[in-house]
Amino acid sequence: MVERRTWFSTFLPHFILIMGVLIVAFPVYVAFVGSSWDAGTIANGTMPLYPGKFLVENYSRALLAGNATAREPVGPMLLNSFIMAIIIAVGKIAISIISAYAVVYFRFPLRQSAFWLIFITLMLPVEVRIYPTYKIVADLGMLDTYAGLAVPLIASATATLLFRQFFMTIPDELVEASKIDGAGPMKFFVDTVLPLSITTIAALFVIQFIYGWNQYLWPLLITTRENMQTIVIGIKKMLVTQDALTEWQLAMATAVLAMLPPVLVVLLMQKLFVRGLVETEK
Amino acid sequence: MAVVTLKDVRKVYAGGVEAVKGVSIDIPDGGFCVLVGPSGCGKSTLLRMVAGLETISSGEVAIGDRVVNDIEPAERDIAMVFQNYALYPHMSVYDNIAYGLRNRKTPKDEIDRRVQEAARILAIEPFLQRKPRALSGGQRQRVAMGRAIVRKPQVFLFDEPLSNLDAKLRVQMRVEIKKLQRALGVTSIYVTHDQVEAMTLSDKLVVMSGGQVEQVGTPTEVYRRPETRFVATFIGSPPMNILPGVVETDGRVSVGGQSLAAADMATDLKPGLAVDVGIRPEEAEIAAPGVAGCAFAIDFVEELGATELLHGTIGEGAFVLQVPTGSVPNGTKQVALTIAPNCVHVFDRETGKRLSRRPAEASKAA
């Protein structure tokens, strides 16, 4: 397409992009600035829009010492969230890639029914089935454990569906060539399906890691011990205080810290992630 | 190396569709058998049954003296070349070729020796470390061939291996496949819908239609003596002309008002019987001046370079004549054609079967 550049066609796209970036980035910036002032300045409502000089102090307090209300330092909470998110992401991928492999490549009775059963669980997110799930986890004695935090969230219709769609694009001839080359189902899975799925796996890992990281309701329900708390709950607890002054600077520091791991995951996997979302050539 | 025997092989799909309706073929050791037919004729299904990728509904497939009906593809000692090559996209060319050997626990140095040898035969040595996506279609085709020959199987199976190549490369690869098969002496079954490929490659040509074998023979036999109207029009390019005719006495048949001698026409046909008469475009000749012949009205001319195709009609039937360029002066509207008696093929109008002087069995043996 030949495009004639005018003042207008140069300016307008940039204007729209800049507006978009501002809308997304400004609150993050405010959180960052907030985390660099002392409680008094923020409480007065006189916090300026440039960073203050309490940055190091706030972050070291948030990470190591905890604050007056939550009493739990951010470090262990970050670790809890990280472990939970990793178990959820890895677990989801492991289970759904295997079930998708079964549904696509094996002919067994009730195969379609199995697939549709998995599919309709899309209509039953955690929030809907929260009571029975809680009951089961409680009866199994998994309250306040990593297993209890992660296992109920591992089953994933979305990931199964995605892998199924991807497997269906792998040409049948590859399966047949493998058969003739003497590779059984397990060998075909390990030697061919897994390497071909690597970008899809990366994309799903990023998405599911963030999904796990951002869980709020479920961890809130099943963790009562302070040392099992996740970062999202930690932030929430810092904001609601009965009789003390909310330490906004610590809450903001915690929020900024909470953003870092997902950002890191996205950055590290960006290349694979984008390829996984757009790749069509097999 | 092995003889491949198909005995009354059938394939019925779950819905009751019968894709292959009882096919029996014997392929001699080292033979090159080509299955040819229009799409949907069951040729690929038949090949896939030999490979073990489709179950056999009834009948028997034997490789050597072993019935392989219930044997896994990997155990059948076959190698297959697919239409879209089916190379593993994430493996290098070397690994693609070596994969089958590794799965069979072949010693490492043996694998390396065989892969290098296959690469040398196919001239793909420079690409061994590349991924398939970095190769052209022809090179991928060679890799697919390499994957087959490295295994030293008893039978090669080719499923339209050249259809994804451009015309020039197809001709070149066709010759190479033939040479390679000759050199290795491995029994081969080759599926194609391209009748030129079928003619040039095969020592045994099997023409299929609607799940059944129409004719089995050497390419020359099939070309010279098509057993059915279908084979007559399928093999040969441009296809054989089919004209309505009427049986006369003394082994003659009337076409478009002209009486022609038919050397191979059955003698016990009733005069006046309506039949189909087949004449190849390249076998009719323009009559010398003064000699009587079929009146051929020319509509238009297609230039092919060395030859030209004259399209027109004889009587009511459409007819194509292939002659050397310049045989007919420009603007000629009508010529007379003579046709040698052994170039006139007569077919039953109802069944499409050849109405042959010799019984069909005798002609097959010939």
Side-chain angles (χ1 to χ4, degrees), chain B residues 146-166:
Chain B
R147 194 165 61 177
I149 66 175
V150 79
R151 295 244 320 274
K152 305 197 186 253
Q154 296 209 332
V155 184
F156 283 144
L157 305 174
F158 298 89
D159 190 2
E160 310 213 10
L162 303 182
S163 335
N164 282 7
L165 300 178
D166 62 58

Side-chain angles (χ1 to χ4, degrees), chain B residues 200-212:
Chain B
T200 50
L201 283 172
S202 61
D203 349 295
K204 186 161 198 163
L205 184 56
V206 178
V207 186
M208 290 184 68
S209 159
Q212 275 165 326

Side-chain angles (χ1 to χ4, degrees), chain B residues 74-146:
Chain B
E75 312 292 320
R76 291 191 182 195
D77 208 2
I78 48 153
M80 188 153 170
V81 179
F82 294 88
Q83 178 176 354
N84 65 3
Y85 322 130
L87 302 177
Y88 308 112
H90 56 290
M91 295 185 196
S92 69
V93 168
Y94 185 98
D95 292 336
N96 261 288
I97 298 176
Y99 188 61
L101 293 176
R102 285 190 189 139
N103 287 343
R104 284 176 176 72
K105 310 263 184 293
T106 315
K108 234 180 169 157
D109 48 336
E110 168 78 3
I111 294 180
D112 190 60
R113 203 179 50 71
R114 286 217 226 165
V115 172
Q116 297 295 349
E117 189 193 340
R120 190 179 46 74
I121 294 174
L122 294 163
I124 49 173
E125 285 156 307
F127 318 124
L128 279 178
Q129 296 315 318
R130 289 205 204 158
K131 293 276 167 67
R133 81 167 70 93
L135 301 180
S136 69
Q139 290 162 346
R140 287 182 205 189
Q141 178 62 54
R142 282 162 198 275
V143 177
M145 299 275 299

Side-chain angles (χ1 to χ4, degrees), chain B residues 270-293:
Chain B
K270 241 194 270 162
L273 180 70
V275 290
D276 281 333
V277 175
I279 298 160
R280 293 212 178 270
E282 58 273 27
E283 290 183 337
E285 280 167 20
I286 296 169
V291 176

Side-chain angles (χ1 to χ4, degrees), chain B residues 250-293:
Chain B
D250 296 336
R252 297 183 78 83
V253 65
S254 157
V255 175
Q258 177 70 36
S259 173
L260 296 174
D264 190 45
M265 188 171 71
T267 44
D268 55 349
L269 298 176
K270 241 194 270 162
L273 180 70
V275 290
D276 281 333
V277 175
I279 298 160
R280 293 212 178 270
E282 58 273 27
E283 290 183 337
E285 280 167 20
I286 296 169
V291 176

